[in-house]
Short mmCIF file of all heavy atoms in Angstrom, two decimals:
data_model
loop_
_atom_site.label_atom_id
_atom_site.label_comp_id
_atom_site.label_asym_id
_atom_site.label_seq_id
_atom_site.Cartn_x
_atom_site.Cartn_y
_atom_site.Cartn_z
N GLU A 33 -15.09 24.71 13.32
CA GLU A 33 -14.53 24.43 11.96
C GLU A 33 -14.58 22.89 11.63
O GLU A 33 -14.98 22.56 10.55
CB GLU A 33 -13.07 24.88 11.91
CG GLU A 33 -12.96 26.42 12.10
CD GLU A 33 -13.67 27.23 10.94
OE1 GLU A 33 -13.53 26.74 9.88
OE2 GLU A 33 -14.36 28.12 11.23
N SER A 36 -18.29 21.91 11.11
CA SER A 36 -18.87 22.35 9.84
C SER A 36 -18.26 21.60 8.60
O SER A 36 -18.93 21.31 7.70
CB SER A 36 -18.82 23.92 9.46
OG SER A 36 -17.87 24.53 10.13
N ASN A 37 -16.84 21.20 8.70
CA ASN A 37 -16.37 20.30 7.75
C ASN A 37 -17.04 19.08 7.64
O ASN A 37 -17.42 18.47 6.60
CB ASN A 37 -14.91 20.11 7.92
CG ASN A 37 -14.03 21.26 7.52
OD1 ASN A 37 -14.56 22.26 6.99
ND2 ASN A 37 -12.76 21.29 7.96
N ASP A 40 -20.50 19.65 6.01
CA ASP A 40 -20.31 19.79 4.52
C ASP A 40 -20.10 18.48 3.96
O ASP A 40 -20.64 18.16 2.78
CB ASP A 40 -18.96 20.57 4.13
CG ASP A 40 -19.11 21.99 4.60
OD1 ASP A 40 -20.35 22.54 4.93
OD2 ASP A 40 -18.18 22.77 4.65
N GLY A 126 -10.48 27.08 9.21
CA GLY A 126 -10.69 25.73 8.68
C GLY A 126 -10.00 24.67 9.44
O GLY A 126 -9.61 24.84 10.55
N PHE A 127 -9.63 23.63 8.76
CA PHE A 127 -8.99 22.47 9.29
C PHE A 127 -7.78 22.72 10.11
O PHE A 127 -7.66 22.29 11.21
CB PHE A 127 -8.72 21.49 8.09
CG PHE A 127 -7.94 20.23 8.61
CD1 PHE A 127 -8.54 19.25 9.22
CD2 PHE A 127 -6.51 20.19 8.50
CE1 PHE A 127 -8.03 18.12 9.70
CE2 PHE A 127 -5.82 19.14 8.94
CZ PHE A 127 -6.64 18.02 9.54
N HIS A 243 -19.14 29.53 5.37
CA HIS A 243 -17.70 29.72 5.17
C HIS A 243 -17.46 31.31 5.32
O HIS A 243 -16.85 31.83 4.55
CB HIS A 243 -17.19 29.36 3.80
CG HIS A 243 -17.35 27.85 3.62
ND1 HIS A 243 -16.28 27.12 3.62
CD2 HIS A 243 -18.44 27.06 3.38
CE1 HIS A 243 -16.61 25.84 3.50
NE2 HIS A 243 -17.83 25.69 3.31
MG1 MG B 402 -14.10 24.20 6.58
#
Side-chain angles (χ1 to χ4, degrees):
E33 295 298 317
S36 34
N37 285 350
D40 290 349
F127 176 78
H243 294 259

